Amino acid sequence: MKATMHDANFPKDSSGAVYHIGVKPGEVANRIVTCGDPIRLRRFATFLDPSPKPFELVSSRGYTTITGCYKGVPISLIAIGMGVAMVDFLVREVRAVVSGDLAIVRFGSCGSLSPELPVGSIGVPRNAMTISTNYAHFHGDESLPPYVFSPPISSDPKLHQVLVSTLDSAVASSTCKICPTELHASADCFYSSQGRIDPQFKDDNADFVPQLLDAAPEVKSLEMETAHLFHLASVARHAKISAAACHMIFADRVGQEFIDPLVVAELEPKVGRACLDAIISFPLSDEALHPEEGSV
Ligand code: R1P
Ligand code: URA
């Protein structure tokens, strides 16, 4: 049975556990690597130190949190599922249970709009914009644009740089390309607002990609969560949140190729480990969890 929640504004149970992720103070580290897929997350969890034994929680709302140490440094791995709402719960609820500055690296998959980012390469965007469905277009005024594009939102430049360097060394011996890019876009849907054509619905997106490239010529890739992560990090108050992201190119949206699972199996561990190396080497002040305390 679910615990009783207190405080309708920011629900927590009597132990201090937050409503959707289910974690309480002491169960999440200041350094976080996040992805969508819990299976991907569990592969990264094999890199954690065996001792102290990692803490693990799967919440009823689809979050998997694994907190342990990597090379002696406390970190949390958190799988969030998909979409803006899920990354919003992640950042706000983690912020509510961890004191001090936070550093968050997202490792996701994405689609590519550019030959500079071939399938199987890793895009590392400096900035991300949002793409939102404009409901007013569909339910009132068709002269309004069906999709709304935000200005670019910046990652943390230092964490971005650390991530690029660790990724470069991690894949140095393979054919995988690490591609820092100026601009990525995160859409509120996978289909309509990423310009996928679905004849079952009136999405008004036949010219979506040219319109996007006209509005934002530097955009190279599309997924669903990164821009909101950068947004929340940039509007954080009181303590700093540093965020950066990298995405494995799964779909070539121009040539229509989709990634071979064997390529994912080869690259994912290398990129995952590089994300862990990046998050532990980023300078953070004032961490709430310390390995010498014997528990994480
Ligand atoms: C869609 O297939 C999902 O893949 C991408 C998108 O952002 C969306 O969540 O990210 P993940 O691979 O992290 O889930
Ligand atoms: N994830 C997305 O959101 N879009 C893609 O094209 C591939 C992965």
Side-chain angles (χ1 to χ4, degrees), residues 106 109-112 187 189-190 194 196 222-225 248-253 258:
R106 164 164 158 74
S109 61
C110 76
S112 165
C189 300
F190 181 84
Q194 290 187 32
R196 290 187 160 90
L222 287 166
E223 53 73 85
M224 296 174 65
E225 296 83 11
M248 190 182 294
I249 313 303
F250 270 26
D252 170 0
R253 294 295 313 287
F258 206 86

Side-chain angles (χ1 to χ4, degrees), residues 208-251:
F208 175 87
V209 173
Q211 279 163 2
L212 171 62
L213 292 174
D214 194 40
E218 289 185 308
V219 73
K220 297 281 188 300
S221 48
L222 287 166
E223 53 73 85
M224 296 174 65
E225 296 83 11
T226 291
H228 194 65
L229 170 63
F230 291 0
H231 164 68
L232 285 178
S234 72
V235 298
R237 286 172 160 165
H238 309 307
K240 191 169 159 56
I241 302 180
S242 304
C246 61
H247 311 107
M248 190 182 294
I249 313 303
F250 270 26

Side-chain angles (χ1 to χ4, degrees), residues 111-190:
S112 165
L113 296 171
S114 162
E116 283 169 45
L117 286 179
V119 165
S121 63
I122 309 295
V124 199
R126 273 181 209 92
N127 304 286
M129 60 187 275
T130 65
I131 302 171
S132 311
T133 304
N134 188 3
Y135 293 93
H137 164 92
F138 296 95
H139 306 282
D141 186 352
E142 281 218 356
S143 69
L144 295 171
Y147 301 97
V148 177
F149 308 133
S150 80
I153 306 163
S154 180
S155 62
D156 181 282
K158 281 199 192 117
L159 187 54
H160 168 83
Q161 201 42 57
V162 169
L163 186 58
V164 171
S165 313
T166 54
L167 284 166
D168 273 336
S169 3
V171 304
S173 60
S174 80
T175 52
C176 173
K177 256 175 78 182
I178 303 301
C179 311
T181 65
E182 206 43 45
L183 186 57
H184 167 84
S186 300
D188 57 2
C189 300
F190 181 84

